[in-house]
Amino acid sequence: MSGPARAALSLLTLLAGASAQTTFAQAAEAPEVAQACLACHGEALAEGAPPIAGHSSNYIQLQLVFFRAGRRKNEIMQGVAEGLSDNDIRALGKYFASLPVPDTKPPADTQGDLTKAGETAALQHRCAACHGDTYLGIQAAPRVARLPEAYLAKALGDYRANTRPSSGGAAMTEVAGSLSDADIKALAHYLAVLP
């Protein structure tokens, strides 16, 4: 079986065992396997690490499978994910999905023209169709509202360069493929400062 086919089979197995997202009140204590994750993705974020609390379980599991299979490149995350079992990945997806979306205030928007350009680009490229009207994510499409601007710009650049796999077929690769550097800068800024 080829690498991509093996990854797809692994992904289907994981998602079949995934349970529905719970509320914060139902969130169990962090499983032991989550302790390493919390060092970078907890209340205090490591540089370049996005907040993952409140993302859907499906999205978190997909990304961990991509890291484990080497389809998504990040030296730290690949090193972490290669040691995860399918059950570990399911537990991590369930745990982080059970946490509330961080209630962070967006940074002050001092670049109104850039924000407007980002809003226009988001409408033009139909970002809300997958990420929701408030950009808080839908199923396997992640929350993109109020993520760090540098992280968003890097993610969009990686999708455009086809070095990051899209979790919805090739949707992000296709969308990002048509983005200019100016579009990426504007979109990343707009999404980061959403109220």
Side-chain angles (χ1 to χ4, degrees):
M1 184 180 293
S2 70
R6 191 172 22 259
L9 181 59
S10 178
L11 176 63
L12 290 172
T13 302
L14 283 169
L15 295 179
S19 62
Q21 182 175 343
T22 60
T23 65
F24 180 66
Q26 298 168 314
E29 256 186 65
E32 186 175 329
V33 71
Q35 296 307 314
C37 307
L38 291 168
C40 293
H41 298 281
E43 289 185 36
L45 298 174
E47 185 177 346
I52 57 176
H55 278 298
S56 76
S57 181
N58 284 354
Y59 175 73
I60 293 166
Q61 290 182 57
L62 278 166
Q63 298 313 302
L64 289 170
V65 168
F66 288 154
F67 282 125
R68 186 175 68 180
R71 291 190 58 215
R72 184 170 173 193
K73 308 292 185 199
N74 177 288
E75 190 175 312
I76 293 170
M77 284 304 304
Q78 285 177 264
V80 170
E82 69 185 8
L84 297 176
S85 69
D86 289 352
N87 285 337
D88 291 337
I89 290 175
R90 277 194 283 276
L92 288 168
K94 181 179 179 182
Y95 171 68
F96 282 104
S98 75
L99 299 176
V101 172
D103 187 20
T104 56
K105 292 185 177 180
D109 185 6
T110 59
Q111 301 180 65
D113 290 343
L114 189 59
T115 303
K116 185 67 177 160
E119 182 179 19
T120 300
L123 289 170
Q124 179 184 10
H125 294 285
R126 301 175 21 98
C127 299
C130 293
H131 296 280
D133 292 338
T134 56
Y135 300 102
L136 293 177
I138 301 171
Q139 297 175 343
R143 172 176 53 85
V144 292
R146 295 182 298 282
L147 290 179
E149 190 169 337
Y151 174 80
L152 290 163
K154 179 178 182 337
L156 289 167
D158 289 348
Y159 282 124
R160 182 178 67 181
N162 202 19
T163 58
R164 179 173 174 172
S166 181
S167 56
M172 279 307 301
T173 305
E174 289 176 18
V175 169
S178 65
L179 296 176
S180 67
D181 288 346
D183 289 335
I184 288 176
K185 181 177 180 179
L187 278 167
H189 178 75
Y190 168 67
L191 294 169
V193 299
L194 280 171

